[in-house]
């Protein structure tokens, strides 16, 4: 990996680094699945030891399963690099220390059976196995190493200088040895007292100074020292998700186009005396992104920042360049970490928030022909064609190199034409993070077969791409030039033939019609649907509904008219009219007419109250008939008397004066009130 | 001249606004034509790669013209002929010719080219010892496909109008006869009759009330009433048949698009990506494309339906 200048968005340089940065060229890519760094042998709890043994057993099972599955593959692989490391070169009698062996290979060669033969006088426990995975960036490109690690714990029983024979590992039927190690054992109590290690692994940190977390991680040598670091505003948060420890994923942007780089930084915030070490890590899933680690191990530097008014120490755990693969609101997922609490008895699990990145396509306007979604960055294209003169049917090599930074294209659109056959390219690349960008080159080596004699112009290779900095499309272009194709002296090569003896594709498309070079007059159909959505439903239902409504309206009007007409001709209405006539006649002094009108009113009232037609009855029959119809006897008598008076008034003008309209009114009102149902 | 903005200034402003609006549209049209010219020139000179790029870019811009689609199909065929074929080229050619036929149904050249492509697909399947697959559409698709959805819509609206007319015609008979007693004069006469009855003591109201019923039973139905009854019956049946078909046709048009398979073979899966089994859909097969969810689309092929990767299907405009 090259050293990069500090990017503008990096946090400021720490004023005090609590732990020295790891110095190895190779850095662990993934966390190791080793045993928990627990107490010294003998001093740990039984449950802890049982856990450790279970972990070792599981790991052994995995390793042996892997061996069983891939014996043939291992035979074809290169031997692993085997190295050994000792935790301390000077120890006291009775003080445990560790010897660690690593067997790593680039092609994943599986090594088994780690063995350590300690000198006499040493007690040995282990090995504890772990899987290892490392990645490095360099001029030769990215290197990924995989393998196993084995750690033994040794305790010397006598002073002296001892050479520990080289630990060995079995690979492909042979035993490969690391280098021998030397240790000086001093009498008990003669060596200066050491600071207690942050790792409670026997003998201290098995990774030494190259640990991803450093000794005493995450705290300094003196935990009781008050935190005197200043606040870093760029890492400060208005609110702390947890008061002791939490994880935060920070994206340099939340809006991007497909293929545009987004840089994600994973930070750990922890309060003083909250945690002692990291136990288990679950990285960001990033399933919709292409990801390239920028700082896979993060930074050893520690910053301070305030979150929700509290002071936290902050450490960068990981920095990744991610490239969105599709449009939409994409989720990074959560980064999870399990910590061992400060008291080393409980575990604390924390997860970061899920960051959402809104991903769109670059603008359609001014999009160049041949642009493919995802080609985003700043690129240049160079090409080399060799040789320039070839016989018909022969081939030339075309090497196209794309340099720059961004999301490099995985394929190129070559200028295909009749008589020029482009075979699948061979790809090479060297991409590495520089600052916060992925830079380098990717080259495509084509073999091009030329089947038509003459001066063939190969055309130009173009790479249209979106430049996110300039916010515009650019086209990187390189002319391939012409190749002279001489006629073949030998017979033309016979294309692959089918059973019928004809070339494979000749039968179907040998005679294609000529292309259309001009656009004929054409008007696109409107394509609009007849009556959209609810309008169609309305058009369908409205005519019968209107018809039914009209018919209903007419029917209602008819009934209303009929009811009005019936009301006008009802006995009650007619009785009222007769009474009005009676009053008018009385007022004009026509007593006989008044009596006749009063008689009519009473007759109609009787009909309205009982349904009886009083004119069809004899005078003496009326009162009993009314009583029989349910009218009160007194009322019946009054009606009978009034009708008799009216009858007399028809022939006797003096008797007519005896008929009082008021009596008739009262009688009509009483009769209608006492209406018999 | 009256006060306010002078007429000449108004005309100038309107012309300027028209220019502003028409400018981008004309520029787009010119760019489209230039792209077509570039594609067809590349095709004429055998540069099928450049032709495909230009004509695909034209399609991406949403430009629709049967000649552009036709040339795009030819470009893919040219690539197949040059033995530089890529998986899906036959399907892409078929999609281009299908598109041509959708835009210009009478294009005989496109029809012939499409037949050639489908024949080639069949030939290749036969060569691979694959049996011919006959995907038969379901009955609802057959019925709906008999007419364009607009025709079904118009037919159902006509049925609805006929129903309305029939209902009115049926009513006509009653109104003519006055069976419902609709006239005001008739009511007055009846009221007068009632008054006379009161005075004279007659009792003919019951007889009169029964008379319209008797009249109706005795008199033959009015021709318009008969016509209305027939029209109502026919239009109700028509509406019950046509309205669901029209609705289904419209729903299909709104929720589905025609498409063509542009993968060598496409296997239907369920939404989770698990294979459904059954025959693979051959390249260049015409399918009905429905909802899209992420990277997969719902596809109906004959009576089979399931999900396919969106990249395996080209949706036609």
């Amino acid at each position: 990996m090259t050293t990069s200048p500090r990017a503008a968005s990096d946090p400021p340089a720490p004023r005090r680094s609590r732990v020295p940065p790891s110095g190895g060229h190779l850095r662990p890519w993934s966390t190791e699945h080793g045993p928990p760094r627990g107490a010294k042998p003998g001093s740990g709890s039984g449950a802890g030891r049982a856990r450790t043994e279970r972990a070792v057993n599981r790991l052994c099972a995995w390793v042996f399963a892997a061996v069983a599955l891939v014996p043939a593959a291992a035979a074809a692989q290169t031997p692993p690099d085997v190295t050994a490391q000792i935790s301390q070169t000077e120890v006291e009698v009775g003080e445990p220390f560790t010897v660690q062996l690593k067997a790593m290979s680039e092609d994943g060669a599986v090594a088994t059976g780690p063995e350590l033969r300690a000198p006499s006088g040493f007690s040995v426990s282990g090995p504890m196995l772990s899987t290892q995975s490392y990645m490095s960036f360099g001029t030769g490109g990215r290197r990924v190493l995989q393998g196993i690690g084995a750690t033994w714990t040794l305790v010397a029983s006598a002073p002296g200088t001892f050479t520990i024979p080289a630990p060995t590992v079995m690979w492909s039927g042979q035993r490969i040895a690391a280098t021998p190690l030397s240790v000086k054992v001093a009498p008990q109590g003669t060596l200066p007292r050491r600071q207690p290690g942050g790792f409670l692994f026997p003998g201290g940190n098995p990774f030494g100074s190259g640990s991803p977390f450093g000794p005493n991680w995450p705290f300094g040598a003196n935990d009781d020292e008050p935190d005197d670091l200043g606040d870093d505003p760029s890492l400060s948060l208005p609110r702390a998700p947890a008061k002791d420890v939490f994880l935060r994923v920070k994206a340099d942007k939340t809006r991007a186009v497909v293929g545009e780089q987004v840089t994600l930084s994973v930070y750990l915030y922890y309060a003083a005396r909250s945690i002692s070490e990291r136990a288990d890590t679950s990285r960001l899933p990033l399933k919709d992104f292409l990801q390239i680690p920028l700082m896979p191990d993060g930074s050893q530097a520690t910053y301070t920042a305030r979150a929700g008014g509290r002071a936290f120490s902050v450490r960068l755990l990981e920095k990744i360049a991610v490239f969105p693969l599709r449009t939409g609101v994409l989720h990074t997922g959560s980064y999870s970490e399990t910590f061992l609490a400060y008291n080393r008895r409980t575990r604390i699990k924390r997860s970061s928030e899920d960051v959402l990145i809104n991903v769109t396509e670059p603008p359609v306007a001014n999009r160049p022909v041949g642009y493919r979604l995802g080609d985003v960055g700043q690129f240049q294209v160079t090409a080399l064609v060799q040789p320039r003169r070839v016989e018909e049917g022969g081939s030339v090599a075309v090497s196209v190199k794309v340099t720059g930074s961004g999301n490099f294209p995985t394929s190129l659109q070559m200028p295909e034409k009749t008589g020029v056959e482009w075979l699948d390219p061979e790809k090479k690349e060297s991409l590495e993070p520089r600052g916060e960008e992925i830079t380098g080159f990717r080259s495509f080596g084509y073999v091009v077969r030329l089947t038509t004699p003459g001066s063939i112009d190969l055309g130009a290779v173009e790479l249209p791409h979106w430049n996110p900095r300039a916010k515009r499309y650019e086209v990187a272009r390189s002319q391939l030039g012409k190749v002279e194709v001489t006629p073949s002296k030998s017979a033309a090569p016979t294309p692959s033939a089918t059973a019928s003896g004809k070339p494979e594709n000749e039968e179907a498309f040998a005679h294609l019609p000529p292309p259309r070079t001009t656009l004929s007059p054409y008007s696109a159909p409107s394509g609009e649907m007849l009556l959209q959505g609810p309008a169609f439903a309305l058009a369908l239902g409205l005519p019968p509904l209107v018809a039914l409504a009209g018919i209903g309206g007419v029917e209602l009007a008819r009934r209303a008219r009929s009811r009005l007409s019936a009301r006008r001709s009802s006995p009650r209405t007619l009785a009222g009219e007769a009474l009005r006539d009676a009053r008018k006649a009385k007022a004009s002094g026509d007593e006989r007419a008044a009596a006749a009108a009063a008689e009519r009113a009473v007759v109609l009232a009787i009909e309205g109250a009982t349904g009886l037609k009083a004119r069809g009855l004899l005078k003496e029959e009326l009162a009993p008939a009314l009583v029989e119809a349910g009218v009160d006897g007194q009322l019946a008598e009054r009606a009978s008397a009034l009708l008799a008076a009216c009858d007399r008034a028809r022939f006797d003008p003096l008797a007519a004066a005896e008929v009082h309209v008021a009596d008739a009114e009262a009688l009509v009102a009483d009769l209608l009130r006492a209406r018999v149902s | 001249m009256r006060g306010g903005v002078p007429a000449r200034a108004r005309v100038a402003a309107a012309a300027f606004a028209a220019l502003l609006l028409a400018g981008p549209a004309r520029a787009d049209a010119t760019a489209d034509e230039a792209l077509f010219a570039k594609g067809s020139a590349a095709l004429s000179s055998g540069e099928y790669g450049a032709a495909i790029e230009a004509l695909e870019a034209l399609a991406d811009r949403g430009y629709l013209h049967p000649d552009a689609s036709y040339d795009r199909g030819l470009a893919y065929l040219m690539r197949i002929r040059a033995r530089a074929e890529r998986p899906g080229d036959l399907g892409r050619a078929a999609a281009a010719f299908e598109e041509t036929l959708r835009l210009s149904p009478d294009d005989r050249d496109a029809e012939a080219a499409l037949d050639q492509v489908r024949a080639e697909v069949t030939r290749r399947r036969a060569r691979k010892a694959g049996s011919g697959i006959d995907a038969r559409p379901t009955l609802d698709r057959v019925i709906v496909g008999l007419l364009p959805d607009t025709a079904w819509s118009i037919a159902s609206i006509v049925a609805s109008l006929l129903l309305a007319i029939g209902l009115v015609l049926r009513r006509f008979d009653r109104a003519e006869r006055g069976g419902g007693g609709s006239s005001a004069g008739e009511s007055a006469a009846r009221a007068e009759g009632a008054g006379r009855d009161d005075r004279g003591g007659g009792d003919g109201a019951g007889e009169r009330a029964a008379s319209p019923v008797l009249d109706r039973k005795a008199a033959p139905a009015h021709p318009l009433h008969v016509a209305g009854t027939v029209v109502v019956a026919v239009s109700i049946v028509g509406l019950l048949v046509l309205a669901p078909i029209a609705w289904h046709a419209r729903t299909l048009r709104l929720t589905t698009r025609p498409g063509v398979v542009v993968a060598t073979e496409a296997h239907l899966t369920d939404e989770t990506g698990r294979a459904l089994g059954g025959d693979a859909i051959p390249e260049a097969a015409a399918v009905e494309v429905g909802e899209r969810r992420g990277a997969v689309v719902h596809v109906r092929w004959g009576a089979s339906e399931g999900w396919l990767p969106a990249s395996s299907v080209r949706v036609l405009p």
Side-chain angles (χ1 to χ4, degrees), chain A residues 404-488:
Chain A
S405 64
N407 187 31
F408 280 72
T410 52
S411 64
L412 293 174
Q413 199 70 36
M414 301 312 290
E416 296 173 313
K417 63 200 295 186
T418 307
V420 181
E421 289 178 20
W422 295 80
L423 305 185
D424 287 339
E426 184 189 352
K427 287 184 238 176
K428 289 179 184 171
E429 66 178 35
S430 171
L431 303 175
E432 61 186 28
R434 177 168 294 172
E436 293 204 344
E437 279 188 341
I438 303 300
T439 60
F441 73 86
R442 184 171 278 165
S443 68
F444 301 82
Y446 295 89
V447 173
V448 183
R449 191 161 165 261
L450 300 162
T451 57
T452 313
S455 179
I456 305 293
D457 187 358
L458 290 180
V461 56
E462 293 182 341
L463 173 59
H465 58 274
W466 171 255
N467 185 337
R469 279 194 197 149
K471 299 276 180 208
R472 65 160 187 258
Y473 287 104
E474 291 171 353
V475 180
R477 184 182 287 108
S478 180
Q479 285 290 341
L480 298 177
K482 290 186 177 176
V483 174
E484 292 299 326
V485 183
T486 56
S488 172

Side-chain angles (χ1 to χ4, degrees), chain A residues 413 516 527 531 540 558 561, chain B residues 53 71 160 180 182 250 253:
Chain A
Q413 199 70 36
R516 295 173 183 175
L531 299 173
L540 214 56
R558 186 192 63 76
R561 275 201 305 273
Chain B
E53 270 191 15
D71 277 2
S160 170
S182 57
R250 293 168 70 86
R253 185 173 162 185

Side-chain angles (χ1 to χ4, degrees), chain A residues 478-672:
Chain A
S478 180
Q479 285 290 341
L480 298 177
K482 290 186 177 176
V483 174
E484 292 299 326
V485 183
T486 56
S488 172
K489 290 165 192 165
S490 56
T494 311
S496 60
T498 59
S500 63
K502 289 183 178 179
E504 196 170 301
N505 292 317
E506 193 184 317
E507 292 170 7
F509 307 114
H511 306 290
L512 289 175
R516 295 173 183 175
T517 52
T518 53
L519 291 169
S520 55
Y522 169 73
S523 58
S526 72
E528 280 186 16
M529 191 174 266
L530 178 75
L531 299 173
Q532 298 284 337
F536 175 67
L538 207 62
L540 214 56
L542 202 59
L545 286 178
V546 166
L548 286 174
I551 291 166
V554 167
E555 183 67 18
L556 281 176
R558 186 192 63 76
R559 285 189 185 178
R561 275 201 305 273
S562 172
R563 202 167 292 149
L564 189 65
S565 160
R567 203 167 159 188
R568 279 180 188 158
S569 60
S570 72
R572 177 187 286 262
T573 310
L574 293 175
E577 284 175 4
L579 283 174
R580 275 197 297 279
D581 291 345
R583 279 194 293 271
K584 276 183 192 172
K586 195 79 174 177
S588 61
D590 188 351
E591 298 289 349
R592 289 177 64 186
E599 182 189 15
R600 201 167 67 243
V602 172
V603 167
L604 286 165
I606 287 169
E607 187 182 347
T610 63
L612 286 174
K613 302 276 188 190
R615 290 185 193 281
L617 298 173
L618 294 174
K619 287 174 196 167
E620 53 274 17
E621 290 173 352
L622 181 61
L626 284 172
V627 171
E628 195 179 341
V631 177
D632 178 56
Q634 201 176 353
L635 189 59
E637 286 299 328
R638 277 173 62 200
S640 180
L642 187 63
L643 285 178
C646 291
D647 198 33
R648 284 197 301 275
R650 199 181 295 169
F651 307 106
D652 185 0
L654 293 174
E658 292 172 9
V659 176
H660 300 291
V661 176
D663 294 343
E665 281 175 349
L667 182 61
V668 166
D670 290 345
L671 278 170
L672 291 176

